[in-house]
Amino acid sequence: MRHFGHIPAIARKELFHQEPAEFDAGSPAGLLSVALGATLYSPATRPHLADDVLKQAARGVVSMVLCLEDSIDDAEVCAAEENLVRQFADLGAPGAELPLLFIRVREPGQIEDLVRRLGPASRLLSGFVLPKFTEGRCGPFMEAVSAAESMTDRMLYVMPVLESPELLHLETRHETLTGIARSVGRHRDRILALRLGVTDFCSAYGLRRSPDMTAYDVQIVAGVIADVVNVLGRSDGTGFTITGPVWEYFRLQERIFKPQLRRSPFMEVQAEKLRTALIEHDLDGLLREIELDRANGLLGKTCIHPSHVLPVHALSVVSHEEFSDAQDILRPERGGGGVMRSAYTNKMNEVKPHRAWAERTLRRAEAFGVAREDVGFVELLTAGLAG
């Protein structure tokens, strides 16, 4: 699979200076963690789950989470597990193109039990999402994953969700974060990404952001995100990929503030109708939050609606300008440092301070590609929708 693989090859050549790389479940973890992109969540109770997975893969989804936790009622867990096992068997048809598939469990005991029940179909599974992750919950979860791996004879990745009240509350945050850092550090080879449970953060204080607000406008949430990135997202080799929070909206709500999308990028390519559609589906707020995610050190995003996937991927593509700057900074002859004007003559590139940014940018370029010089996110959105 590859990002934008659902659009014709000739269209990709017109859009990309460097096309997104191909990858699969066996690719290096460093590439997979960046390439997760918009991870689409689906309740495991859906009666046509297998068909849904195949349909979304054909539309450009590269990672999905089949959820047995908060998206379903407590009374539905057993039925959801049975449905999940049955639907996985239907996904095993030869030649079927599947996204990376993860199961979000509630408790450690489900992991080994589900892998046993999946049988041969477990080869389609990339790993598990571990909810309400803390140092105390790490041991039982990772022991269960190890036992499941011994049954499948293959690597199973995990994506812990950071959403516990202890992480939110100021008096316990430092200790909780330190414990999580110790835990994930011991299991670095299995940790594909860390996910943020911002809905749970808001729940602890009876809050819910409107479609006019991003997660970063809710200060108590923004503070937690900053602390998580501070401890777990460092560029010194100890950090992990941390994914952006879920955007909850997908239909027009009554607005208080003006739309957040400028007209000019859309008018330049006669895409005013696309701008209107994005605003009508509250996706202008999503686009702003995606930009803020990246500015704050997050990559990829938890998504609960298919309409959110393409905007996340389009805004993850590296611009030609970013790529040019990153390449200049990382040239071997720049190893001693220094400063130079960018090739676009609009900024300063300082080699040592910008090196970590440049390395991160080239990793994103491998996964999502580099746009041509005259291609922006509007063209990428338009092509993705047409594909």
Side-chain angles (χ1 to χ4, degrees):
M1 73 188 89
R2 73 165 86 205
H3 285 291
F4 296 92
H6 67 297
I7 68 175
I10 190 169
R12 287 202 305 273
K13 290 185 181 298
E14 293 174 354
L15 291 170
F16 289 98
H17 169 78
Q18 173 185 303
E19 289 195 32
E22 291 186 340
F23 60 93
D24 57 31
S27 296
L31 173 59
L32 293 181
S33 68
V34 175
L36 286 167
T39 301
L40 184 63
Y41 276 54
S42 178
T45 51
R46 290 181 67 86
H48 303 292
L49 188 61
D51 290 340
D52 293 341
V53 169
L54 293 170
K55 179 171 66 176
Q56 297 308 327
R59 293 177 175 177
V61 173
V62 304
S63 63
M64 288 188 69
V65 173
L66 312 179
C67 185
L68 293 167
E69 209 227 1
D70 285 348
S71 68
I72 66 173
D73 190 275
D74 295 346
E76 296 179 306
V77 174
C78 290
E81 289 179 347
E82 292 173 3
N83 184 57
L84 188 64
V85 171
R86 185 169 57 252
Q87 300 280 347
F88 253 78
D90 294 339
L91 286 171
E97 294 190 11
L98 301 177
L100 303 173
L101 293 175
F102 302 85
I103 298 174
R104 183 178 182 179
V105 294
R106 294 184 171 216
E107 299 296 338
Q110 290 177 292
I111 293 175
E112 191 174 357
D113 178 60
L114 283 168
V115 168
R116 182 183 297 108
R117 291 162 66 184
L118 286 170
S122 64
R123 73 185 189 282
L124 308 176
L125 184 63
S126 291
F128 293 90
V129 175
L130 312 180
K132 299 172 178 60
F133 189 85
T134 61
E135 186 175 26
R137 285 169 66 83
C138 175
F141 270 126
M142 298 312 299
E143 289 171 9
V145 172
S146 294
E149 282 183 339
S150 67
M151 297 166 60
T152 61
D153 196 29
R154 59 189 298 269
M155 169 74 81
L156 291 171
Y157 291 109
V158 300
M159 294 194 287
V161 186
L162 311 185
E163 57 187 344
S164 65
E166 297 92 335
L167 181 59
L168 181 64
H169 296 157
L170 186 61
E171 66 273 19
T172 53
R173 187 180 307 167
H174 178 270
E175 181 180 355
T176 301
L177 263 176
T178 302
I180 290 172
R182 283 194 298 264
S183 300
V184 295
R186 288 194 295 267
H187 301 282
R188 178 170 296 277
D189 60 330
R190 284 205 187 96
I191 308 292
L192 201 56
L194 304 176
R195 312 199 72 89
L196 289 166
V198 165
T199 302
D200 278 39
F201 290 162
C202 290
S203 173
Y205 287 86
L207 304 176
R208 185 174 192 179
R209 70 189 190 275
S210 74
D212 293 308
M213 301 285 180
T214 71
Y216 302 93
D217 294 312
V218 183
Q219 291 300 299
I220 197 165
V221 170
V224 181
I225 294 174
D227 287 345
V228 168
V229 174
N230 190 321
V231 175
L232 298 168
R234 299 176 186 178
S235 60
D236 59 1
T238 67
F240 296 84
T241 294
I242 303 169
T243 64
V246 68
W247 182 258
E248 298 178 346
Y249 296 96
F250 46 88
R251 287 288 182 271
L252 180 63
Q253 313 291 318
E254 183 178 5
R255 287 183 176 273
I256 298 175
F257 301 108
K258 291 181 179 179
Q260 301 178 64
L261 283 179
R262 290 170 48 242
R263 289 181 180 273
S264 53
F266 294 86
M267 294 175 66
E268 290 170 4
V269 292
Q270 290 79 51
E272 181 66 17
K273 287 184 178 179
L274 173 59
R275 177 181 180 271
T276 300
L278 291 170
I279 291 170
E280 286 179 349
H281 288 78
D282 285 324
L283 296 185
D284 55 323
L286 168 64
L287 293 172
R288 174 169 167 75
E289 186 166 283
I290 295 166
E291 288 286 88
L292 288 170
D293 286 340
R294 193 162 78 241
N296 284 277
L298 309 184
L299 184 61
K301 202 162 186 67
T302 294
C303 294
I304 48 84
H305 195 272
S307 65
H308 299 170
V309 171
L310 185 56
V312 174
H313 292 170
L315 285 173
S316 297
V317 173
V318 172
S319 71
H320 188 273
E321 181 174 346
E322 290 176 305
F323 186 65
S324 172
D325 288 340
Q327 284 192 313
D328 281 350
I329 290 164
L330 296 175
R331 291 187 191 282
E333 62 267 28
R334 306 287 190 189
V339 63
M340 67 283 193
R341 184 174 59 176
S342 73
Y344 276 69
T345 69
N346 61 356
K347 72 177 76 64
M348 172 192 74
N349 285 332
E350 193 168 353
V351 173
K352 289 184 178 178
H354 291 148
R355 178 172 294 276
W357 169 85
E359 292 170 346
R360 184 182 178 100
T361 298
L362 291 190
R363 287 194 294 271
R364 183 161 54 92
E366 181 182 11
F368 291 96
V370 179
R372 288 190 178 275
E373 192 169 358
D374 58 346
V375 170
F377 81 94
V378 175
E379 290 88 347
L380 291 163
L381 278 172
T382 303
L385 289 168

